[in-house]
Amino acid sequence: MDQITISMTKYMNDHPNLKYIFFGGKGGVGKTVMAGTAALWSAKQGKRTLLASTNPVHSLSNLFEKDVFGKAAVVCDDDRCFAFEIDTKDTIERSKQEIREKINWFLRFADLTTKADDFVESATMNPAFEESAMFENMTDIMFEDKYDFYVFDTAPTANARRLLGMSKVYSLWVEKMLKSREEAKSLREMLSFSKKNEADPLMDYLIGFKDRMAKAQSLLTNDQLTAFFFATLPESLPIAVITRFINWFYEFGIPVGGVVVNGIIQKDQVSKDASEFVLNRVKMQDEHMEEIWQIFGDRVRAVIPLFETEVKGNKMINRMVDHLFA
């Protein structure tokens, strides 16, 4: 096989209820450009669309040449197309306060006089805390349901996998926490002379969190609503990375929409007397395209040419739409 059987456009038409799409891949393969292009295409279909970046190192403002950090703003001169770089600072501070309140309550429950601040600092110093905050922001956006269609520009694939897999990991964690909490509450009631029913904010929090994760997992694993697309260049490392990660996404039950190959040198623009560098690049490209067709086959959704200039700004993104959704 060396041609596309199900294009990006056909995939979208075959999944008319699709609402959440994600773009990921190795760093530097053009996933932000693909996400921006998909958001503009969706807006052109008449859908009020939000493009959100979950990458801690945002680049949407640079792509659109407009500041979209911390607020949704119209981009590409289409009043239905919005872009938004998520600011995790507020979420992190809110999470710290919530953790502080829960730990303080737990310490009072256990008759301990230790202050919560040391525990809070330990919990929030975890390198995964920012990822957790980003996941919270992402699910908030999905649950608010203010737009018709959502496109997420994710971090390089390893981070994206952890980010999207959090709903499953969190669900397993909260089940264990609930069981421990029920056992502790039962033991306290057995040892207490008072039969008065006391409020249990920690248990309420865990039950609410469990419901929230169940909802997130339901949305992220629904192949009629959600799809994850991988971008790659015709080079060995990006191909190897997404080959490995596609299988990991299947483990989390996240639907894989397909693969977009970016940056193809157009052979009809390369003369026989081109420099050795260019001819070698074309030869290498041919070898890797053969590998791509063998590995991904009918999961290839689009093959994007290498443009003569950087894809940046409204004019180039509009031009990209014709290639990604050919």
Side-chain angles (χ1 to χ4, degrees):
M1 174 181 288
D2 62 354
Q3 61 183 1
I4 296 169
T5 56
I6 302 175
S7 68
M8 201 72 178
T9 303
K10 178 169 172 45
Y11 185 89
M12 293 296 182
N13 290 336
D14 291 345
H15 295 77
N17 297 321
L18 209 61
K19 188 166 183 174
Y20 311 102
I21 68 171
F22 297 79
F23 281 88
K26 187 177 177 298
V29 298
K31 50 186 178 293
T32 299
V33 170
M34 300 304 158
T37 304
L40 179 57
W41 174 85
S42 169
K44 287 176 179 288
Q45 308 309 301
K47 295 181 179 180
R48 195 165 180 269
T49 301
L50 178 66
L51 165 62
S53 168
T54 63
N55 189 341
V57 185
H58 298 299
S59 49
L60 292 184
S61 292
N62 187 260
L63 173 68
F64 292 111
E65 300 176 316
K66 185 172 186 176
D67 182 13
V68 296
F69 181 72
K71 59 184 183 302
V74 170
V75 291
C76 286
D77 299 329
D78 189 314
D79 61 7
R80 289 166 299 208
C81 189
F82 296 80
F84 175 40
E85 291 175 341
I86 297 173
D87 180 3
T88 58
K89 287 182 183 175
D90 287 346
T91 308
I92 288 174
E93 289 307 313
R94 191 170 65 246
S95 296
K96 280 185 177 180
Q97 183 58 32
E98 287 179 358
I99 290 173
R100 184 175 289 106
E101 290 171 359
K102 299 295 179 303
I103 291 177
N104 273 328
W105 184 90
F106 179 79
L107 292 175
R108 286 198 302 273
F109 177 85
D111 293 329
L112 296 175
T113 57
T114 308
K115 292 183 178 178
D117 287 349
D118 291 342
F119 293 98
V120 174
E121 287 304 313
S122 298
T124 55
M125 287 292 285
N126 188 319
F129 195 75
E130 186 169 353
E131 268 178 6
S132 302
M134 190 65 80
F135 182 80
E136 291 284 312
N137 282 128
M138 186 185 79
T139 51
D140 281 345
I141 290 171
M142 295 170 77
F143 293 167
E144 282 175 359
D145 202 24
K146 291 169 59 179
Y147 296 83
D148 303 318
F149 196 79
Y150 295 83
V151 182
F152 290 97
D153 173 30
T154 73
T157 304
N159 292 22
R161 171 185 173 261
R162 287 202 301 272
L163 181 72
L164 298 183
M166 277 184 177
S167 63
K168 184 173 182 178
V169 174
Y170 271 150
S171 296
L172 294 172
W173 173 80
V174 77
E175 285 291 347
K176 289 185 178 178
M177 289 294 292
L178 274 170
K179 185 178 179 183
S180 297
R181 186 70 197 144
E182 286 168 353
E183 290 174 353
K185 187 179 179 184
S186 176
L187 183 60
R188 181 182 171 91
E189 288 172 353
M190 286 174 60
L191 297 175
S192 174
F193 292 109
S194 172
K195 298 304 177 187
K196 180 181 176 183
N197 280 333
E198 296 182 12
D200 190 343
L202 187 56
M203 181 66 91
D204 294 342
Y205 168 78
L206 289 172
I207 291 172
F209 191 74
K210 179 184 177 184
D211 293 343
R212 183 179 170 82
M213 287 306 102
K215 185 177 179 182
Q217 195 170 5
S218 173
L219 292 179
L220 290 171
T221 58
N222 186 331
D223 63 2
Q224 298 304 306
L225 292 175
T226 301
F228 197 102
F229 294 93
F230 290 89
T232 186
L233 298 175
E235 297 177 4
S236 58
L237 285 180
I239 295 170
V241 165
I242 66 171
T243 301
R244 188 162 59 249
F245 284 113
I246 280 178
N247 291 327
W248 288 0
F249 273 75
Y250 283 134
E251 288 176 14
F252 285 120
I254 297 167
V256 175
V259 173
V260 177
V261 187
N262 189 27
I264 296 295
I265 299 171
Q266 299 300 284
K267 288 185 182 178
D268 58 3
Q269 297 181 17
V270 178
S271 63
K272 291 181 180 177
D273 57 352
S275 69
E276 185 178 355
F277 170 80
V278 174
L279 294 175
N280 281 341
R281 294 292 301 187
V282 172
K283 182 173 180 290
M284 181 193 75
Q285 175 178 288
D286 286 345
E287 293 170 356
H288 288 310
M289 281 308 297
E290 187 174 334
E291 183 184 8
I292 285 171
W293 290 118
Q294 287 178 355
I295 296 173
F296 305 114
D298 59 7
R299 286 180 293 181
V300 177
R301 301 283 171 253
V303 177
I304 311 295
L306 178 64
F307 290 96
E308 69 283 358
T309 61
E310 181 182 8
V311 178
K312 185 178 178 183
N314 293 349
K315 182 179 177 182
M316 289 301 291
I317 297 170
N318 269 284
R319 195 173 155 195
M320 274 290 291
V321 170
D322 295 334
H323 292 276
L324 185 57
F325 293 91

